[in-house]
């Protein structure tokens, strides 16, 4: 079990009739190290969650549906790269040598398109398709060794229900092909289950 804290800011504004702008920023979340999970050369698992900034536009397609596009920048270069023992052997062979480049991640830009539909009873559904959800190592040699093992795309489906004037229930599911780097993280979840390709998230939000 790991713990961390961060700050999230968001802005939503209708900039023209039927066009809405969304902007958001989430700070880096510093997670405490896992005590019983170690990487190559007994490196402790410190799986910090990187900061990210997002900008999106939503266009009203009909009375109850919206088409949206967004771009998100994830600052992976600001968090340490954890060399898991489950990484491909051809990649691990590039580490630990005096001539090897240092292991770090490049920042990642994610592009998404989606569709949202809402009824008049407080419920809504959405589906999003996005570009790759995993960063590449900053070293070209390391990138070539692991590129084929990283997810190139992801899909997210969600349901939201207004429960009262001050609360809302959200259910989200995400799928991305199996990846070595972190396991599932389309929804912002960092885990040591490195073969995870399906994520499920439920939350209940109260306004106060």
């Amino acid at each position: 079990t790991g713990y961390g804290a961060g700050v999230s800011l968001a802005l939503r504004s209708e900039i023209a009739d039927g066009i809405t702008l969304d902007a958001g920023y989430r700070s880096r979340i510093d997670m405490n190290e896992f005590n019983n999970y170690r990487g190559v050369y007994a490196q402790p698992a410190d799986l910090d969650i990187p900061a990210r900034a997002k900008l999106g536009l939503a266009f009203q397609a009909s009375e109850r549906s919206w088409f949206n596009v967004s771009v998100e920048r994830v600052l992976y270069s600001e968090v340490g790269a954890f060399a898991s023992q489950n990484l491909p052997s051809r990649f691990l062979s590039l580490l630990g040598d005096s001539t090897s480049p240092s292991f770090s991640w490049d920042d990642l830009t994610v592009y998404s398109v989606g569709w949202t539909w809402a009824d008049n009873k407080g419920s809504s559904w959405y589906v999003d398709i996005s570009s790759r959800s995993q960063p590449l190592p900053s070293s070209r040699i390391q990138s070539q060794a692991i590129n084929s093992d990283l997810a190139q795309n992801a899909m997210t489906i969600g349901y939201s229900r207004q429960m009262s004037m001050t609360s809302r229930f959200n259910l989200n599911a995400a799928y991305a092909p199996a990846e070595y780097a972190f396991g599932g993280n389309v929804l912002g979840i960092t885990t040591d289950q490195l073969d995870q390709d399906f994520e499920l998230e439920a939350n209940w939000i109260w306004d106060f």
Side-chain angles (χ1 to χ4, degrees):
T1 301
Y3 300 93
V7 175
S8 181
L9 303 172
L11 171 69
R12 182 180 178 88
S13 176
E14 187 172 3
I15 58 177
D17 188 27
I19 302 177
T20 301
L21 171 70
D22 285 288
Y25 173 78
R26 191 184 71 189
S27 68
R28 171 178 171 173
I29 300 177
D30 291 312
M31 305 295 292
N32 61 303
E33 296 180 352
F34 287 103
N35 293 326
N36 300 319
Y37 188 74
R38 299 279 170 168
V40 178
Y41 312 117
Q43 176 192 13
D46 185 11
L47 305 180
D48 293 342
I49 300 175
R52 55 183 64 207
K54 185 175 183 178
L55 183 65
L57 286 173
F59 305 89
Q60 188 167 12
S62 69
E63 182 181 355
R64 297 180 182 176
S65 63
W66 292 76
F67 172 75
N68 57 78
V69 294
S70 67
V71 58
E72 183 175 32
R73 185 71 170 174
V74 189
L75 305 181
Y76 280 104
S77 62
E78 295 184 354
V79 301
F82 174 61
S84 167
Q85 299 180 36
N86 292 328
L87 286 163
S89 56
R90 63 179 178 278
F91 179 83
L92 294 177
S93 66
L94 301 174
L95 305 178
D97 191 295
S98 60
T99 61
S100 300
S102 59
F103 178 30
S104 61
W105 297 115
D106 266 342
D107 292 337
L108 177 68
T109 301
V110 181
Y111 302 94
S112 301
V113 296
W115 184 272
T116 301
W117 179 88
D119 62 19
N120 58 1
K121 298 180 181 179
S123 295
S124 62
W125 292 86
Y126 81 90
V127 58
D128 279 325
I129 299 174
S130 62
S131 61
R132 63 176 306 126
S133 60
Q134 294 290 292
L136 285 169
S138 55
S139 162
R140 181 179 60 85
I141 296 176
Q142 293 173 353
S143 294
Q144 291 174 342
I146 200 175
N147 185 45
S148 62
D149 295 299
L150 296 180
Q152 302 296 321
N153 51 73
M155 175 180 286
T156 308
I157 298 175
Y159 169 77
S160 182
R161 172 74 177 178
Q162 188 78 38
M163 306 304 293
S164 70
M165 292 294 293
T166 59
S167 68
R168 174 171 287 273
F169 173 74
N170 301 305
L171 182 64
N172 302 301
Y175 172 80
E179 56 224 2
Y180 273 105
F182 295 114
N185 80 331
V186 179
L187 298 176
I189 301 168
T190 303
T191 173
D192 60 343
Q193 299 298 318
L194 298 176
D195 60 350
Q196 180 175 322
D197 52 16
F198 178 78
E199 299 170 71
L200 186 64
E201 173 188 70
N203 59 66
W204 200 314
I205 299 174
W206 284 272
D207 295 327
F208 58 91

